[in-house]
């Protein structure tokens, strides 16, 4: 039980404080990104400059973009919000921006809208004929049309209009990326005050924009790292404190470690944790290890199939020794890990399992190499150096860590040991809790 809440009011409040399935859009809920927000603010002040946020999948790009846009969009309108798809073009993006700008105007009042668009070639036309963004986009014949449309958008939308263009990396055509770069340059040259915040998934800007980076001068590029340790636990502490629940340091440090810096995992575990506390018989005021491990089990079950599937493929093999091999890959550094180091981790893991014998180095290596294959979930890919491996999808590492931890296996990364004073080891032996084997995704 949680004091002062029935199920309905609890569920409602909970969705305000944790949101594993949607980006954060308010400054109170965006944790650990004040430096980035600061840089974005300065860029937006500077005429002709726009922002590009890039980073690994799931680190919080859309959240940063949405929060920044909410912060700096003037209060007379909502910011404009565009999502890219593989077939997005500059024309389709511009048409969508125009149609959103017009729609927000319409919803205020048609007289205001009509007045605002007097003398406008593009937007008044679209208003009268009520055409769809797709039709609108076919009328835009070239870059100069696009610029004019955006000029009109900037004039009617609001005092300080901001446009978020999410997931630019999804645009398949390189030609369109080139055009987008040209568009930004010309917007700057023509002093059209429409500010863009782009996001893209990728480790480097080159990966997203290719060699076509002529617009680089117009862009403030922000590489978004994983969340820092204190931001990770601040999310948990803050969410729990809304319900007057305390979380001991030992537990929040473990939670931070297991999340691997991905806010998604922190949100997911805390959401499950709060439901468990709510449904407990006793009145909850403090998180226990039992609560934490139950939440971890439920978080694993609730994880998106996209992440769970490769894990299942890898462990559902005839020989029943892949799961420990998989866990041993999860202690690596962000930059990838060497086979010999992973084998050390593996031996450390096996020493925690009394009933199992470790594989020889040769057998271990061959299992590990199998993890490169699609039929084993394609967990890893080869690094540039001999014997070095990376995750194909970095976010998987957090999932693998959660699995290991739910099995009471302690994985200690060098990063954790180096960063956290009095690093807390998982109290496997003294919690007196046994994992239900049925939850392990073994065949
Ligand atoms: N700074 C933050 N503080 C608290 N929660 C955050 C923060 N950043 C992101 N989140 C949460 O983490 C999850 C993932 O965030 P978001 O969708 O912004 O990531 P993303 O990088 O855009 O992911 P993708 O690459 O999948 O589009 C969401 O649940 C969001 O609520
Ligand atoms: Mg996103």
């Amino acid at each position: 039980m949680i004091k002062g809440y029935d199920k309905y009011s609890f569920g409602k409040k909970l969705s305000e404080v944790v949101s594993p399935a949607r980006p954060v859009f308010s400054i109170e809920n965006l944790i650990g990104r004040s430096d980035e927000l600061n840089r974005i603010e300065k860029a937006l002040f500077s005429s002709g400059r726009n922002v590009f946020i890039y980073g690994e999948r799931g680190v919080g790009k859309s959240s940063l973009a949405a929060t920044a846009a909410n912060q700096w969009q003037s209060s007379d309108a909502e910011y404009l919000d565009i999502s890219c798809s593989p077939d997005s073009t500059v024309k389709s993006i511009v048409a969508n921006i125009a149609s959103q700008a017009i729609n927000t105007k319409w919803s205020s009042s048609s007289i205001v809208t009509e007045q605002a668009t007097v003398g406008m070639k593009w937007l008044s036309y679209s208003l009268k004929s009520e055409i769809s963004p797709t039709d609108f986009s076919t009328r835009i014949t070239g870059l100069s049309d696009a610029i004019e449309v955006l000029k009109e958008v900037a004039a009617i939308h609001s005092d300080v209009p901001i446009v978020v263009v999410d997931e630019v990396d999804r645009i398949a055509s390189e030609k369109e990326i080139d055009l987008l770069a040209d568009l930004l340059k010309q917007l700057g040259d023509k002093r059209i005050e429409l500010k863009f915040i782009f996001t893209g998934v990728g480790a480097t800007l080159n990966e997203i924009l290719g060699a076509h980076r002529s617009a680089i001068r117009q862009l403030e590029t922000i590489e978004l790292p994983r969340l820092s340790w204190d931001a990770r636990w601040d999310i948990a502490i803050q969410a729990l404190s809304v319900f007057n629940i305390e979380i001991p340091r030992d537990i929040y440090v473990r939670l931070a470690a297991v999340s691997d810096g991905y806010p998604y995992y922190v949100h997911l575990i805390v959401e499950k944790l709060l439901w468990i506390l709510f449904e407990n018989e006793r009145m909850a005021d403090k998180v226990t290890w039992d609560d934490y491990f139950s939440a971890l089990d439920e978080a694993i079950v609730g994880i998106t199939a996209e992440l769970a599937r490769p894990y299942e493929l890898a462990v559902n093999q005839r020989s029943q020794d892949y799961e420990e091999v998989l866990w041993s890959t999860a202690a690596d550094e962000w930059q990838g890990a060497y086979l010999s180091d992973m084998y050390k981790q593996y031996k450390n893991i096996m020493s925690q399992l009394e009933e199992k014998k470790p594989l020889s180095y040769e057998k271990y290596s061959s299992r590990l190499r199998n993890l490169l294959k699609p039929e084993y979930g394609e967990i890893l890919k080869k690094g540039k150096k001999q014997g070095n491996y990376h995750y194909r999808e970095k976010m998987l590492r957090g999932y693998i860590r959660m699995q290991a931890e739910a099995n009471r296996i302690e994985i200690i990364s060098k990063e954790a040991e180096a960063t956290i004073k009095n690093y807390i080891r998982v109290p496997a032996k003294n919690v007196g809790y046994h994992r239900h084997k049925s939850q392990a995704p073994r065949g």
Side-chain angles (χ1 to χ4, degrees), residues 18-24 29-33 55-64 166-167 199 201 224 227 235 262-265 267 395:
V18 285
S19 55
R22 63 158 170 75
V24 165
N29 290 331
L30 188 84
I31 314 282
R33 300 301 196 196
E56 292 299 336
R57 181 156 290 291
V59 289
K61 301 174 296 297
S62 300
S63 296
L64 178 61
D166 207 16
E167 307 204 340
T199 79
V201 182
L224 204 59
L227 279 182
I235 293 176
Y262 287 98
Y264 166 66
Y265 293 129
H267 279 251
M395 217 177 156

Side-chain angles (χ1 to χ4, degrees), residues 345-362:
Q345 287 288 348
Y346 173 73
K347 293 238 289 253
N348 171 27
I349 286 166
M350 295 311 284
S351 72
Q352 299 172 49
L353 291 167
E354 277 145 24
E355 70 280 20
K356 270 188 149 177
K357 286 229 147 36
L359 299 166
S360 69
Y361 184 69
E362 286 65 39

Side-chain angles (χ1 to χ4, degrees), residues 430-443:
N430 51 32
V431 268
Y433 178 96
H434 295 286
R435 177 169 162 73
H436 309 293
K437 270 295 169 202
S438 63
Q439 296 228 326
R442 284 206 172 98

